[in-house]
Amino acid sequence: MSAPDTAARLHLDLRVTPPPLLGRAVRLVERNAMANRRAWMIFVSGLFEPVFYLFAMGVGVATLVGEVPGPDGPVPYGVFVAPALLAVSAMNGGAYESTFNVFAKLKWGRVYDAILATPLTPRDVAVGELTWALVRGSVYAVGFLVVAWLAGLVTSAWAVLALPAAMLIGFTFAGLGLAATSLMRSWQDFDLVQLVLLPLLLFSATFYPLEVYPSSVRWLVQLSPLYHGVELVRGLMLGVFAWTMLLHVVVLLALGLAGLRFAIGRFDATLRT
């Protein structure tokens, strides 16, 4: 084999050989990064909502409320709310990217039809989109944590562990979002997304402790995936550790994996037809 042929063969091998961990799905992540490099304002737009809530509730209302029960005793209301809104930031990043944007590429732009003409498979599409949603959720989490720190609402050095916890929350809602998107048929279905996300925001022990709820409905609050994320992040940001954190991690991981597995099956059925 001549030198030019060998060089061409090596170039081809490097181009199509999947990198470790994500495999060929990383190519979809690269494509999304390139597509969003000139639309960064839209990319970070979901961060604004929890930041507005932070200053409205954690700073404004905090002056009226004072202290509330925390995981290990009373804490200022702003310190209580900030971890929950960090979890909301991660939820928004994972959910928005895996629903609205994925549906646009699936039903309107027909992007995946072109992608499947390459060596990528429906599984690569699902994993790649979940990974990109996780990136978006992580950006929201980092941005929000910086804002909370500047506002003086971060009281423990353990708060740095809230970032991987927020990534886990983003993974959970990205997986669930992909599963939901694979079932949607029109843009009107996205009214249901807001119908789910808003109650999760308001009723997941986000703005007040679980003990405030009537005992007859506390179990319903504890079924919320955001509740598990809020409790996990709140404990980490306050430096209060308990065995129940492992339960929260297991629940979030299981929901994310279940959503991803369902989405892979649905994408494989719909994109190959």
PDB file of all heavy atoms in Angstrom, residues 31 36 38 81 92 98 108 121 125 139 143 145-146 153 161 163 166 173 181 185 189 211 241 244 247 250 273:
ATOM      1  N   ARG A  31     -22.175  18.751  16.778  1.00  0.00           N
ATOM      2  CA  ARG A  31     -23.071  19.439  15.842  1.00  0.00           C
ATOM      3  C   ARG A  31     -23.925  20.467  16.575  1.00  0.00           C
ATOM      4  O   ARG A  31     -24.096  21.594  16.109  1.00  0.00           O
ATOM      5  CB  ARG A  31     -23.950  18.390  15.149  1.00  0.00           C
ATOM      6  CG  ARG A  31     -24.949  18.967  14.151  1.00  0.00           C
ATOM      7  CD  ARG A  31     -26.316  19.137  14.788  1.00  0.00           C
ATOM      8  NE  ARG A  31     -27.206  19.891  13.918  1.00  0.00           N
ATOM      9  CZ  ARG A  31     -28.246  20.586  14.338  1.00  0.00           C
ATOM     10  NH1 ARG A  31     -28.540  20.625  15.639  1.00  0.00           N
ATOM     11  NH2 ARG A  31     -29.001  21.255  13.490  1.00  0.00           N
ATOM     12  N   ASN A  36     -25.247  26.197  18.010  1.00  0.00           N
ATOM     13  CA  ASN A  36     -25.638  27.159  19.039  1.00  0.00           C
ATOM     14  C   ASN A  36     -24.587  28.221  19.329  1.00  0.00           C
ATOM     15  O   ASN A  36     -24.812  29.070  20.192  1.00  0.00           O
ATOM     16  CB  ASN A  36     -25.956  26.426  20.348  1.00  0.00           C
ATOM     17  CG  ASN A  36     -27.297  25.734  20.325  1.00  0.00           C
ATOM     18  OD1 ASN A  36     -28.327  26.337  20.626  1.00  0.00           O
ATOM     19  ND2 ASN A  36     -27.307  24.461  19.972  1.00  0.00           N
ATOM     20  N   ARG A  38     -23.728  30.810  17.778  1.00  0.00           N
ATOM     21  CA  ARG A  38     -24.174  32.169  17.499  1.00  0.00           C
ATOM     22  C   ARG A  38     -25.537  32.460  18.136  1.00  0.00           C
ATOM     23  O   ARG A  38     -26.125  33.505  17.866  1.00  0.00           O
ATOM     24  CB  ARG A  38     -24.241  32.400  15.992  1.00  0.00           C
ATOM     25  CG  ARG A  38     -22.893  32.294  15.294  1.00  0.00           C
ATOM     26  CD  ARG A  38     -22.972  32.704  13.840  1.00  0.00           C
ATOM     27  NE  ARG A  38     -21.711  32.514  13.166  1.00  0.00           N
ATOM     28  CZ  ARG A  38     -20.694  33.382  13.188  1.00  0.00           C
ATOM     29  NH1 ARG A  38     -20.821  34.516  13.874  1.00  0.00           N
ATOM     30  NH2 ARG A  38     -19.577  33.142  12.535  1.00  0.00           N
ATOM     31  N   VAL A  81     -34.077  28.801  50.076  1.00  0.00           N
ATOM     32  CA  VAL A  81     -34.638  28.780  48.727  1.00  0.00           C
ATOM     33  C   VAL A  81     -33.569  28.589  47.652  1.00  0.00           C
ATOM     34  O   VAL A  81     -33.808  27.925  46.642  1.00  0.00           O
ATOM     35  CB  VAL A  81     -35.434  30.079  48.468  1.00  0.00           C
ATOM     36  CG1 VAL A  81     -35.807  30.222  46.997  1.00  0.00           C
ATOM     37  CG2 VAL A  81     -36.688  30.097  49.323  1.00  0.00           C
ATOM     38  N   ASN A  92     -34.647  22.958  34.303  1.00  0.00           N
ATOM     39  CA  ASN A  92     -35.004  23.725  33.114  1.00  0.00           C
ATOM     40  C   ASN A  92     -34.073  23.415  31.949  1.00  0.00           C
ATOM     41  O   ASN A  92     -34.515  23.227  30.813  1.00  0.00           O
ATOM     42  CB  ASN A  92     -34.956  25.221  33.422  1.00  0.00           C
ATOM     43  CG  ASN A  92     -36.139  25.680  34.247  1.00  0.00           C
ATOM     44  OD1 ASN A  92     -37.100  24.942  34.447  1.00  0.00           O
ATOM     45  ND2 ASN A  92     -36.072  26.901  34.740  1.00  0.00           N
ATOM     46  N   SER A  98     -34.344  18.948  25.859  1.00  0.00           N
ATOM     47  CA  SER A  98     -34.765  17.616  25.409  1.00  0.00           C
ATOM     48  C   SER A  98     -36.206  17.576  24.918  1.00  0.00           C
ATOM     49  O   SER A  98     -36.650  16.527  24.427  1.00  0.00           O
ATOM     50  CB  SER A  98     -34.593  16.605  26.548  1.00  0.00           C
ATOM     51  OG  SER A  98     -35.412  16.941  27.659  1.00  0.00           O
ATOM     52  N   TRP A 108     -39.865  19.031  12.591  1.00  0.00           N
ATOM     53  CA  TRP A 108     -39.898  20.205  11.714  1.00  0.00           C
ATOM     54  C   TRP A 108     -38.661  20.278  10.829  1.00  0.00           C
ATOM     55  O   TRP A 108     -38.751  20.303   9.608  1.00  0.00           O
ATOM     56  CB  TRP A 108     -40.026  21.475  12.553  1.00  0.00           C
ATOM     57  CG  TRP A 108     -40.102  22.722  11.731  1.00  0.00           C
ATOM     58  CD1 TRP A 108     -41.051  23.036  10.798  1.00  0.00           C
ATOM     59  CD2 TRP A 108     -39.181  23.818  11.767  1.00  0.00           C
ATOM     60  NE1 TRP A 108     -40.786  24.262  10.247  1.00  0.00           N
ATOM     61  CE2 TRP A 108     -39.642  24.776  10.827  1.00  0.00           C
ATOM     62  CE3 TRP A 108     -38.031  24.100  12.500  1.00  0.00           C
ATOM     63  CZ2 TRP A 108     -38.979  25.977  10.601  1.00  0.00           C
ATOM     64  CZ3 TRP A 108     -37.381  25.294  12.290  1.00  0.00           C
ATOM     65  CH2 TRP A 108     -37.845  26.215  11.349  1.00  0.00           C
ATOM     66  N   THR A 121     -26.678   5.988  14.763  1.00  0.00           N
ATOM     67  CA  THR A 121     -27.893   5.198  14.917  1.00  0.00           C
ATOM     68  C   THR A 121     -28.909   5.973  15.767  1.00  0.00           C
ATOM     69  O   THR A 121     -28.559   6.990  16.382  1.00  0.00           O
ATOM     70  CB  THR A 121     -27.580   3.864  15.610  1.00  0.00           C
ATOM     71  OG1 THR A 121     -27.135   4.145  16.963  1.00  0.00           O
ATOM     72  CG2 THR A 121     -26.488   3.101  14.863  1.00  0.00           C
ATOM     73  N   VAL A 125     -28.432   9.121  18.513  1.00  0.00           N
ATOM     74  CA  VAL A 125     -29.219  10.353  18.537  1.00  0.00           C
ATOM     75  C   VAL A 125     -29.744  10.618  19.943  1.00  0.00           C
ATOM     76  O   VAL A 125     -29.621  11.727  20.478  1.00  0.00           O
ATOM     77  CB  VAL A 125     -30.392  10.269  17.537  1.00  0.00           C
ATOM     78  CG1 VAL A 125     -31.367  11.428  17.741  1.00  0.00           C
ATOM     79  CG2 VAL A 125     -29.868  10.274  16.104  1.00  0.00           C
ATOM     80  N   VAL A 139     -24.569  24.217  32.504  1.00  0.00           N
ATOM     81  CA  VAL A 139     -24.286  25.653  32.340  1.00  0.00           C
ATOM     82  C   VAL A 139     -25.228  26.477  33.206  1.00  0.00           C
ATOM     83  O   VAL A 139     -24.815  27.431  33.886  1.00  0.00           O
ATOM     84  CB  VAL A 139     -24.413  26.055  30.864  1.00  0.00           C
ATOM     85  CG1 VAL A 139     -24.376  27.574  30.702  1.00  0.00           C
ATOM     86  CG2 VAL A 139     -23.294  25.415  30.039  1.00  0.00           C
ATOM     87  N   GLY A 143     -23.996  28.862  36.365  1.00  0.00           N
ATOM     88  CA  GLY A 143     -24.371  30.272  36.364  1.00  0.00           C
ATOM     89  C   GLY A 143     -25.194  30.651  37.581  1.00  0.00           C
ATOM     90  O   GLY A 143     -24.961  31.697  38.209  1.00  0.00           O
ATOM     91  N   LEU A 145     -25.294  29.089  40.532  1.00  0.00           N
ATOM     92  CA  LEU A 145     -24.509  28.996  41.764  1.00  0.00           C
ATOM     93  C   LEU A 145     -23.623  30.224  41.937  1.00  0.00           C
ATOM     94  O   LEU A 145     -23.453  30.718  43.060  1.00  0.00           O
ATOM     95  CB  LEU A 145     -23.652  27.725  41.744  1.00  0.00           C
ATOM     96  CG  LEU A 145     -22.913  27.388  43.046  1.00  0.00           C
ATOM     97  CD1 LEU A 145     -23.901  27.188  44.190  1.00  0.00           C
ATOM     98  CD2 LEU A 145     -22.056  26.140  42.875  1.00  0.00           C
ATOM     99  N   VAL A 146     -23.079  30.733  40.849  1.00  0.00           N
ATOM    100  CA  VAL A 146     -22.271  31.955  40.921  1.00  0.00           C
ATOM    101  C   VAL A 146     -23.136  33.131  41.382  1.00  0.00           C
ATOM    102  O   VAL A 146     -22.726  33.922  42.243  1.00  0.00           O
ATOM    103  CB  VAL A 146     -21.624  32.248  39.552  1.00  0.00           C
ATOM    104  CG1 VAL A 146     -20.979  33.641  39.554  1.00  0.00           C
ATOM    105  CG2 VAL A 146     -20.577  31.192  39.219  1.00  0.00           C
ATOM    106  N   LEU A 153     -25.776  33.923  49.439  1.00  0.00           N
ATOM    107  CA  LEU A 153     -26.690  32.856  49.841  1.00  0.00           C
ATOM    108  C   LEU A 153     -26.027  31.484  49.870  1.00  0.00           C
ATOM    109  O   LEU A 153     -26.699  30.480  50.067  1.00  0.00           O
ATOM    110  CB  LEU A 153     -27.898  32.831  48.895  1.00  0.00           C
ATOM    111  CG  LEU A 153     -28.721  34.126  48.859  1.00  0.00           C
ATOM    112  CD1 LEU A 153     -29.836  34.023  47.839  1.00  0.00           C
ATOM    113  CD2 LEU A 153     -29.285  34.431  50.246  1.00  0.00           C
ATOM    114  N   LEU A 161     -20.237  20.610  45.850  1.00  0.00           N
ATOM    115  CA  LEU A 161     -20.783  19.291  45.510  1.00  0.00           C
ATOM    116  C   LEU A 161     -22.182  19.389  44.921  1.00  0.00           C
ATOM    117  O   LEU A 161     -22.694  18.406  44.380  1.00  0.00           O
ATOM    118  CB  LEU A 161     -20.810  18.406  46.759  1.00  0.00           C
ATOM    119  CG  LEU A 161     -19.457  18.034  47.357  1.00  0.00           C
ATOM    120  CD1 LEU A 161     -19.643  17.151  48.591  1.00  0.00           C
ATOM    121  CD2 LEU A 161     -18.586  17.325  46.330  1.00  0.00           C
ATOM    122  N   LEU A 163     -22.896  21.005  42.353  1.00  0.00           N
ATOM    123  CA  LEU A 163     -22.783  21.011  40.888  1.00  0.00           C
ATOM    124  C   LEU A 163     -22.957  19.616  40.289  1.00  0.00           C
ATOM    125  O   LEU A 163     -23.749  19.440  39.363  1.00  0.00           O
ATOM    126  CB  LEU A 163     -21.456  21.638  40.465  1.00  0.00           C
ATOM    127  CG  LEU A 163     -21.357  23.154  40.710  1.00  0.00           C
ATOM    128  CD1 LEU A 163     -19.985  23.668  40.300  1.00  0.00           C
ATOM    129  CD2 LEU A 163     -22.452  23.879  39.949  1.00  0.00           C
ATOM    130  N   ALA A 166     -26.524  18.776  40.604  1.00  0.00           N
ATOM    131  CA  ALA A 166     -27.333  19.459  39.601  1.00  0.00           C
ATOM    132  C   ALA A 166     -27.206  18.769  38.245  1.00  0.00           C
ATOM    133  O   ALA A 166     -28.181  18.698  37.480  1.00  0.00           O
ATOM    134  CB  ALA A 166     -26.914  20.919  39.503  1.00  0.00           C
ATOM    135  N   PHE A 173     -34.078  14.898  34.101  1.00  0.00           N
ATOM    136  CA  PHE A 173     -35.114  15.578  33.322  1.00  0.00           C
ATOM    137  C   PHE A 173     -34.832  15.541  31.833  1.00  0.00           C
ATOM    138  O   PHE A 173     -35.770  15.630  31.029  1.00  0.00           O
ATOM    139  CB  PHE A 173     -35.290  17.001  33.833  1.00  0.00           C
ATOM    140  CG  PHE A 173     -36.080  17.069  35.104  1.00  0.00           C
ATOM    141  CD1 PHE A 173     -35.463  17.068  36.337  1.00  0.00           C
ATOM    142  CD2 PHE A 173     -37.460  17.103  35.064  1.00  0.00           C
ATOM    143  CE1 PHE A 173     -36.193  17.102  37.510  1.00  0.00           C
ATOM    144  CE2 PHE A 173     -38.218  17.138  36.226  1.00  0.00           C
ATOM    145  CZ  PHE A 173     -37.581  17.139  37.455  1.00  0.00           C
ATOM    146  N   THR A 181     -40.927  13.632  24.582  1.00  0.00           N
ATOM    147  CA  THR A 181     -40.865  14.161  23.219  1.00  0.00           C
ATOM    148  C   THR A 181     -41.101  13.065  22.187  1.00  0.00           C
ATOM    149  O   THR A 181     -41.722  13.305  21.142  1.00  0.00           O
ATOM    150  CB  THR A 181     -39.500  14.821  22.978  1.00  0.00           C
ATOM    151  OG1 THR A 181     -39.299  15.848  23.945  1.00  0.00           O
ATOM    152  CG2 THR A 181     -39.421  15.434  21.584  1.00  0.00           C
ATOM    153  N   ARG A 185     -46.900  14.625  19.142  1.00  0.00           N
ATOM    154  CA  ARG A 185     -47.298  14.629  17.738  1.00  0.00           C
ATOM    155  C   ARG A 185     -47.399  16.030  17.155  1.00  0.00           C
ATOM    156  O   ARG A 185     -47.355  16.202  15.950  1.00  0.00           O
ATOM    157  CB  ARG A 185     -48.644  13.908  17.579  1.00  0.00           C
ATOM    158  CG  ARG A 185     -48.580  12.425  17.875  1.00  0.00           C
ATOM    159  CD  ARG A 185     -47.729  11.709  16.835  1.00  0.00           C
ATOM    160  NE  ARG A 185     -47.595  10.282  17.123  1.00  0.00           N
ATOM    161  CZ  ARG A 185     -46.557   9.753  17.741  1.00  0.00           C
ATOM    162  NH1 ARG A 185     -45.569  10.538  18.173  1.00  0.00           N
ATOM    163  NH2 ARG A 185     -46.479   8.457  17.961  1.00  0.00           N
ATOM    164  N   ASP A 189     -48.831  19.885  22.009  1.00  0.00           N
ATOM    165  CA  ASP A 189     -48.508  18.977  23.116  1.00  0.00           C
ATOM    166  C   ASP A 189     -47.584  19.627  24.141  1.00  0.00           C
ATOM    167  O   ASP A 189     -47.506  19.164  25.282  1.00  0.00           O
ATOM    168  CB  ASP A 189     -47.859  17.700  22.578  1.00  0.00           C
ATOM    169  CG  ASP A 189     -48.822  16.852  21.768  1.00  0.00           C
ATOM    170  OD1 ASP A 189     -50.039  16.982  21.983  1.00  0.00           O
ATOM    171  OD2 ASP A 189     -48.368  16.064  20.915  1.00  0.00           O
ATOM    172  N   GLU A 211     -42.806  19.971  55.750  1.00  0.00           N
ATOM    173  CA  GLU A 211     -43.697  19.913  56.902  1.00  0.00           C
ATOM    174  C   GLU A 211     -44.886  20.877  56.793  1.00  0.00           C
ATOM    175  O   GLU A 211     -45.880  20.715  57.499  1.00  0.00           O
ATOM    176  CB  GLU A 211     -42.913  20.222  58.174  1.00  0.00           C
ATOM    177  CG  GLU A 211     -41.889  19.164  58.573  1.00  0.00           C
ATOM    178  CD  GLU A 211     -40.671  19.162  57.675  1.00  0.00           C
ATOM    179  OE1 GLU A 211     -40.410  20.205  57.027  1.00  0.00           O
ATOM    180  OE2 GLU A 211     -39.974  18.141  57.615  1.00  0.00           O
ATOM    181  N   PHE A 241     -25.374  16.240  55.771  1.00  0.00           N
ATOM    182  CA  PHE A 241     -25.385  14.971  55.057  1.00  0.00           C
ATOM    183  C   PHE A 241     -26.234  13.946  55.805  1.00  0.00           C
ATOM    184  O   PHE A 241     -26.228  13.901  57.038  1.00  0.00           O
ATOM    185  CB  PHE A 241     -23.961  14.439  54.880  1.00  0.00           C
ATOM    186  CG  PHE A 241     -23.073  15.365  54.100  1.00  0.00           C
ATOM    187  CD1 PHE A 241     -22.306  16.323  54.753  1.00  0.00           C
ATOM    188  CD2 PHE A 241     -23.024  15.295  52.726  1.00  0.00           C
ATOM    189  CE1 PHE A 241     -21.500  17.190  54.038  1.00  0.00           C
ATOM    190  CE2 PHE A 241     -22.214  16.146  51.988  1.00  0.00           C
ATOM    191  CZ  PHE A 241     -21.456  17.097  52.654  1.00  0.00           C
ATOM    192  N   THR A 244     -30.380   9.522  53.507  1.00  0.00           N
ATOM    193  CA  THR A 244     -31.458   9.699  52.527  1.00  0.00           C
ATOM    194  C   THR A 244     -30.958  10.314  51.221  1.00  0.00           C
ATOM    195  O   THR A 244     -31.622  10.214  50.193  1.00  0.00           O
ATOM    196  CB  THR A 244     -32.566  10.587  53.109  1.00  0.00           C
ATOM    197  OG1 THR A 244     -31.983  11.801  53.621  1.00  0.00           O
ATOM    198  CG2 THR A 244     -33.301   9.876  54.236  1.00  0.00           C
ATOM    199  N   LEU A 247     -30.733   7.734  48.679  1.00  0.00           N
ATOM    200  CA  LEU A 247     -32.043   7.409  48.112  1.00  0.00           C
ATOM    201  C   LEU A 247     -32.402   8.404  47.014  1.00  0.00           C
ATOM    202  O   LEU A 247     -32.895   8.013  45.948  1.00  0.00           O
ATOM    203  CB  LEU A 247     -33.099   7.431  49.213  1.00  0.00           C
ATOM    204  CG  LEU A 247     -34.550   7.230  48.751  1.00  0.00           C
ATOM    205  CD1 LEU A 247     -34.724   5.863  48.103  1.00  0.00           C
ATOM    206  CD2 LEU A 247     -35.513   7.395  49.923  1.00  0.00           C
ATOM    207  N   VAL A 250     -30.396   7.579  43.911  1.00  0.00           N
ATOM    208  CA  VAL A 250     -30.901   6.374  43.236  1.00  0.00           C
ATOM    209  C   VAL A 250     -32.177   6.679  42.451  1.00  0.00           C
ATOM    210  O   VAL A 250     -32.340   6.250  41.303  1.00  0.00           O
ATOM    211  CB  VAL A 250     -31.139   5.248  44.262  1.00  0.00           C
ATOM    212  CG1 VAL A 250     -31.895   4.086  43.624  1.00  0.00           C
ATOM    213  CG2 VAL A 250     -29.817   4.761  44.840  1.00  0.00           C
ATOM    214  N   THR A 273     -38.580   4.243  10.271  1.00  0.00           N
ATOM    215  CA  THR A 273     -39.736   4.028   9.400  1.00  0.00           C
ATOM    216  C   THR A 273     -39.750   5.016   8.257  1.00  0.00           C
ATOM    217  O   THR A 273     -39.178   6.094   8.340  1.00  0.00           O
ATOM    218  CB  THR A 273     -41.030   4.181  10.211  1.00  0.00           C
ATOM    219  OG1 THR A 273     -41.060   5.477  10.831  1.00  0.00           O
ATOM    220  CG2 THR A 273     -41.111   3.103  11.269  1.00  0.00           C
TER     221      THR A 273
END
